[in-house]
Amino acid sequence: KNEVEQSPQNLTAQEGEFITINCSYSVGISALHWLQQHPGGGIVSLFMLSSGKKKHGRLIATINIQEKHSSLHITASHPRDSAVYICAVEDGNQFYFGTGTSLTVIP
Amino acid sequence: DVKVTQSSRYLVKRTGEKVFLECVQDMDHENMFWYRQDPGLGLRLIYFSYDVKMKEKGDIPEGYSVSREKKERFSLILESASTNQTSMYLCASSSWGGYYEQYFGPGTRLTVT
């Protein structure tokens, strides 16, 4: 059983579309992270949140602690958003990772 | 600008060779981690270290060992490389405590032939 489940696994969108990636988890958490992995492997931390909502540019992350669910939204998607998005939950010093959502944005 | 560096981006080794993967961070972080990433399996923790000379096994430590002689450096060792260790290896570091972000290195793509 995976502690962190992401959906969808793969997503193709047209440029400009609004995109949502979902993450559900089953462990108690101290924080949830959204990571972006570019082709070639480099990983960038997008958000770390423990409640509510955070916004950075066209990216929005929300978390519902009671429902153990988080969403990552991308508004006005662009081909440069094409990447793998990974949800990770943190319980003390232990991290649990989702398998990632591969996003392709077509011009 | 925070930085985690890994010694190689790409590495090709033969079965049975001893392989060293080096990771260095310049943020004075206490915690350092080694993950491997495989398609469909996501990131899996191999080992982590929360202090110099301290190490803890992660989810998949078999076939690996680690060394942390200095705070900024965390090495992953494959004692006798096997083809099933062909993977992307990612190092990360974080400060102590539950609310601190992990910072990742660029990754090393290891191929064992």
Side-chain angles (χ1 to χ4, degrees), chain A residues 11-17 19 77-82 103-107:
Chain A
L11 183 57
T12 300
Q14 291 286 339
E15 183 174 357
E17 282 186 19
I19 288 163
S77 59
H78 190 276
R80 65 175 174 263
D81 296 326
S82 298
L103 171 66
T104 302
V105 181
I106 300 170

Side-chain angles (χ1 to χ4, degrees), chain B:
Chain B
D1 194 21
V2 298
K3 189 178 275 189
V4 179
T5 57
Q6 294 182 226
S7 50
S8 306
R9 288 302 305 272
Y10 300 94
L11 206 53
V12 179
K13 294 291 182 181
R14 293 192 183 277
T15 300
E17 279 194 81
K18 190 168 186 175
V19 182
F20 292 87
L21 302 182
E22 299 277 325
C23 176
V24 178
Q25 50 95 4
D26 65 359
M27 297 163 281
D28 201 35
H29 282 167
E30 291 82 4
N31 301 329
M32 295 187 75
F33 307 82
W34 273 108
Y35 299 93
R36 65 176 283 177
Q37 185 183 35
D38 300 288
L41 296 176
L43 282 156
R44 292 180 292 167
L45 181 65
I46 304 171
Y47 268 97
F48 70 96
S49 168
Y50 52 88
D51 202 350
V52 175
K53 296 191 186 294
M54 305 302 286
K55 61 185 179 186
E56 292 284 341
K57 292 180 180 179
D59 300 318
I60 50 163
E62 295 79 20
Y64 303 95
S65 62
V66 290
S67 172
R68 193 163 180 204
E69 297 296 318
K70 293 185 177 181
K71 190 176 186 181
E72 68 271 19
R73 188 179 299 269
F74 191 35
S75 302
L76 180 69
I77 304 155
L78 286 67
E79 295 290 342
S80 177
S82 63
T83 55
N84 63 12
Q85 292 179 309
T86 292
S87 186
M88 169 70 88
Y89 290 88
L90 287 149
C91 174
S93 73
S94 73
S95 189
W96 183 260
Y99 289 92
Y100 293 91
E101 294 181 66
Q102 282 203 349
Y103 294 86
F104 285 85
T108 297
R109 189 166 293 281
L110 172 68
T111 302
V112 182
T113 61

Side-chain angles (χ1 to χ4, degrees), chain A residues 37-106:
Chain A
Q37 185 173 29
H38 296 283
I43 291 181
V44 173
S45 177
L46 297 175
F47 293 104
M48 181 181 66
L49 64 164
S50 55
S51 65
K53 177 179 171 178
K54 284 191 175 180
K55 186 175 189 293
H56 185 237
R58 295 180 294 105
L59 302 178
I60 303 166
T62 64
I63 188 168
N64 185 318
I65 299 294
Q66 287 72 31
E67 294 185 4
K68 296 195 170 185
H69 181 268
S70 176
S71 293
L72 177 68
H73 305 286
I74 304 175
T75 61
S77 59
H78 190 276
R80 65 175 174 263
D81 296 326
S82 298
V84 174
Y85 293 84
I86 301 168
C87 173
V89 300
E90 181 185 358
D91 174 13
N93 266 332
Q94 176 83 24
F95 276 78
Y96 302 91
F97 293 88
T99 53
T101 295
S102 179
L103 171 66
T104 302
V105 181
I106 300 170

